[in-house]
Amino acid sequence: MPVRFQNIALSLSGGGYRAAAFHLGGMTCLHEMQYENEPLLKQLAILSSISGGTITGVVYAHTLAQGGSFDDFYHKMYGFLKKDTLLTNALSKLNNPDAWQDY
């Protein structure tokens, strides 16, 4: 009989920056959940991603490949997402009537 929670596969869906932020939260939850006194995320064997999920997946895989910890990954990813001004810029243009005069 297979052992529970070994060789977990995780699929990170698309959706741009919103998905990247969502997956950071989901992976944080898996990191905080314990199984046999280890973070459940340590049982991750396969990571599949697309689009926004790939942003999070690549940062995670790269951090681990460099010998970094989950906390290192979290701070890199959080810092990256915090710097993003896409939504702020989009809303400022949408709320500016002068920006729409040429359309």
Side-chain angles (χ1 to χ4, degrees), residues 27-88:
M27 291 176 76
T28 300
C29 181
L30 290 173
H31 175 72
E32 291 176 358
M33 293 176 72
Q34 297 286 307
Y35 176 69
E36 295 184 352
N37 298 318
E38 290 282 335
L40 189 56
L41 191 59
K42 283 202 171 197
Q43 298 298 322
L44 184 64
I46 298 171
L47 180 62
S48 172
S49 65
I50 189 167
S51 190
T54 302
I55 297 168
T56 306
V58 165
V59 173
Y60 181 67
H62 187 256
T63 302
L64 293 183
Q66 291 183 319
S69 66
F70 180 84
D71 288 338
D72 295 330
F73 154 69
Y74 181 88
H75 292 295
K76 281 182 195 177
M77 193 65 199
Y78 186 85
F80 171 75
L81 291 168
K82 191 173 182 180
K83 287 182 203 174
D84 177 53
T85 59
L86 179 64
L87 183 58
T88 303

Side-chain angles (χ1 to χ4, degrees), residues 6 11 14 17 23 39-40 47:
Q6 284 190 340
S11 179
Y17 282 90
H23 296 312
L40 189 56
L47 180 62

